[in-house]
Amino acid sequence: MGSINSYREKIVYLDNNATTRVAPEALEAMLPFLREKYGNPSSMHSFGGDLDIELDRARRRIASLLGCQPQEIVFTSCGSESDNFAIRGLVDAYPEKRHIITTTVEHPAIKNQIPYLKKRGLRVTEIAVDGKGNIDLNRIEEAIEEDTLLISCMYANNETGVIFPVREIGELARRRGVLFHSDAVQALGKLPIDLNDLPIDLLSFSGHKIHAPKGIGGLFIRRGIKIRPLIIGGHQERSRRGGTENLPYIAALGRAAELAAENINEEKSRVAYLRDKLEVGILSAIESTEVNGTTEPRLPNTTNIGIHFIEGEALLLAMDKYNIAASTGSACASGSLQPSHVLRAMGVPFTSIHGSVRFSLSIYNTEEEIDYVLQVLPEIVEKLRRLSPFHSLEDVKAFGV
Ligand code: PLP
């Protein structure tokens, strides 16, 4: 890398869809409950019992970000728990309904529940997406059956940032008497969400994607929806989730939600500007690259770029040497590197599916960081391509793959 001479000591963190840095304000908000105010909000004595007010404060802050009632929020340990709670809680509450509709591009917290549901005798229809990652509403409508309990469709995809037509899906669900759950883990804080106005019955979210710590999340459950708890225990969370409330993390989540509401316009304008600069810069400086998924509507912070004729993992390791953190979205399953199920579902071509990289930004990223990435990336890719056995489609065909 002869000409790259601006190595940075400080990490350029472009993996915010994986997790985010904890906002200093969120950290401050949790500390009193780890130090002096360590009581149990369910206690009879005021040292603990008075902390109920703090739980309410956090709940109100989240409800205000989501446009719902505070009592409609149940705190959980993470987005995955919220997704499990939504699906299993409804399946248990409506045993006569035996069919669920979802999509092929859901997060594993939904997708990996399917074998369990089938084992319990439920039928599950997974709606395919097109090459741009979009879903066809007609196909959802056609899939609805007499005993369909639920449509579960994510708000926005974690790998591509593609936003789904949740309003239209919700309206369809209402019309047909089916419940609608949306995994909004990636949408919260990045898009305005107004549940007052949106026909969504249950909505999952997670703290560590919005600058709160890992280990806290929540599920919005619209008033009147019948659901069974996933965690059976005490009467916390109005008997919807047992377990002593994680007040420090709940307080941090509340504060992070408040910050997210303040920063949502910056997310839409400055973060989107930086994402676009990165994307356009890569597409114009590096040959044989393209954006995976539709660019509109899409989360303002995410771009997933297919870089043909390289291995994404090799690129991540090379970028790591330059202190740039991004992600491929692929999972290392039983020793073999499997391309992402989302990109496979979209039919991304063989020559770029292995070389697809997701960059996801946050309000903490700067233009200088983007300039740095644009400076070093073309050279890194060129070097990797020199090592690759494939340089064109003809090479790929010649290898018989
Ligand atoms: N759903 C989506 C769309 C996600 O992106 C994630 C995390 O990446 C989750 C669910 C799981 O959230 P958590 O890590 O809080 O369990």
Side-chain angles (χ1 to χ4, degrees):
M1 306 282 157
S3 64
I4 299 175
N5 53 17
S6 61
Y7 174 79
R8 290 171 60 99
E9 290 295 328
K10 208 168 148 251
I11 183 90
V12 177
Y13 187 73
L14 299 174
D15 201 12
N16 287 278
N17 286 8
T19 197
T20 58
R21 116 178 221 200
V22 175
E25 297 89 339
L27 179 62
E28 278 303 313
M30 69 192 277
L31 290 178
F33 307 104
L34 290 169
R35 289 186 176 134
E36 61 276 16
K37 297 186 184 179
Y38 53 83
N40 186 328
S42 302
S43 295
M44 288 299 286
H45 50 71
S46 58
F47 180 70
D50 282 359
L51 296 176
D52 237 7
I53 296 171
E54 303 293 345
L55 274 180
D56 284 349
R57 190 202 308 274
R59 220 184 292 278
R60 268 186 280 114
R61 285 174 165 171
I62 294 155
S64 155
L65 179 63
L66 285 173
C68 66
Q69 297 303 312
Q71 316 85 274
E72 293 175 313
I73 301 293
V74 176
F75 292 115
T76 64
S77 67
C78 59
S80 301
E81 183 189 325
S82 304
D83 284 344
N84 276 264
F85 180 17
I87 306 280
R88 296 197 199 188
L90 291 176
V91 165
D92 286 348
Y94 296 88
E96 69 286 4
K97 304 265 185 178
R98 308 301 293 160
H99 179 234
I100 288 175
I101 299 170
T102 184
T103 80
T104 51
V105 293
E106 298 298 311
H107 187 271
I110 295 289
K111 202 171 178 52
N112 291 344
Q113 291 191 66
I114 295 175
Y116 163 83
L117 295 169
K118 287 187 172 166
K119 231 186 227 168
R120 281 188 56 172
L122 281 102
R123 303 176 328 278
V124 181
T125 307
E126 284 180 273
I127 306 293
V129 295
D130 66 15
K132 289 283 179 194
N134 292 312
I135 206 94
D136 179 351
L137 272 176
N138 291 326
R139 296 186 71 174
I140 299 183
E141 178 141 35
E142 282 158 20
I144 296 176
E145 296 179 29
E146 190 86 327
D147 62 348
T148 302
L149 164 65
L150 169 75
I151 301 168
S152 180
C153 173
M154 65 202 326
Y155 208 117
N157 187 267
N158 45 306
E159 293 190 26
T160 58
V162 171
I163 298 170
F164 292 99
V166 288
R167 175 179 298 282
E168 289 75 9
I169 298 172
E171 284 165 357
L172 165 65
R174 286 258 160 102
R175 247 189 352 263
R176 300 291 299 270
V178 173
L179 293 168
F180 178 36
H181 163 253
S182 187
D183 173 340
V185 166
Q186 293 295 343
L188 189 76
K190 296 173 192 153
L191 303 172
I193 299 177
D194 183 6
L195 290 167
N196 239 328
D197 180 49
L198 271 176
I200 295 177
D201 297 307
L202 299 100
L203 179 131
S204 306
F205 56 93
S206 174
H208 73 107
K209 313 289 183 177
I210 65 158
H211 305 289
K214 295 157 193 64
I216 185 72
L219 182 67
F220 157 81
I221 307 169
R222 193 173 290 283
R223 208 175 145 180
I225 301 283
K226 203 163 69 166
I227 191 160
R228 289 274 169 82
L230 180 69
I231 307 231
I232 295 166
H235 294 296
Q236 293 91 351
E237 300 297 282
R238 300 169 160 242
S239 299
R240 290 171 296 182
R241 185 197 188 256
T244 303
E245 299 89 345
N246 185 353
L247 188 50
Y249 282 44
I250 289 172
L253 175 57
R255 186 72 181 100
E258 202 173 48
L259 291 170
E262 285 164 20
N263 292 330
I264 207 141
N265 288 328
E266 181 176 346
E267 197 52 76
K268 268 202 307 211
S269 51
R270 198 183 67 85
V271 174
Y273 163 76
L274 292 181
R275 187 274 313 271
D276 291 345
K277 179 169 184 178
L278 177 67
E279 185 172 280
V280 170
I282 293 173
L283 295 183
S284 60
I286 306 175
E287 264 178 38
S288 301
T289 48
E290 74 223 342
V291 176
N292 291 320
T294 188
T295 52
E296 195 58 49
R298 183 172 54 152
L299 292 176
N301 78 320
T302 308
T303 178
N304 189 312
I305 301 186
I307 306 176
H308 290 256
F309 315 123
I310 61 161
E311 282 289 340
E313 281 72 20
L315 179 60
L316 290 191
L317 291 178
M319 286 199 296
D320 194 45
K321 292 210 174 109
Y322 286 88
N323 237 346
I324 301 167
S327 134
T328 53
S330 64
C332 186
S334 57
S336 68
L337 289 167
Q338 292 284 335
S340 122
H341 75 277
V342 174
L343 301 185
R344 270 186 290 151
M346 287 161 54
V348 169
F350 170 83
T351 49
S352 71
I353 197 164
H354 289 276
S356 289
V357 177
R358 176 188 71 187
F359 298 95
S360 49
L361 286 68
S362 84
I363 52 160
Y364 294 110
N365 289 119
T366 64
E367 187 149 13
E368 191 225 332
E369 290 177 329
I370 299 304
D371 290 339
Y372 169 69
V373 176
L374 290 175
Q375 187 206 342
V376 301
L377 196 61
E379 216 171 311
I380 295 174
V381 171
E382 197 191 309
K383 187 176 177 199
L384 290 174
R385 279 186 175 160
R386 279 203 296 269
L387 301 171
S388 165
F390 308 120
H391 300 100
S392 66
L393 262 180
E394 282 62 45
D395 291 345
V396 175
K397 282 184 195 138
F399 265 75
V401 277

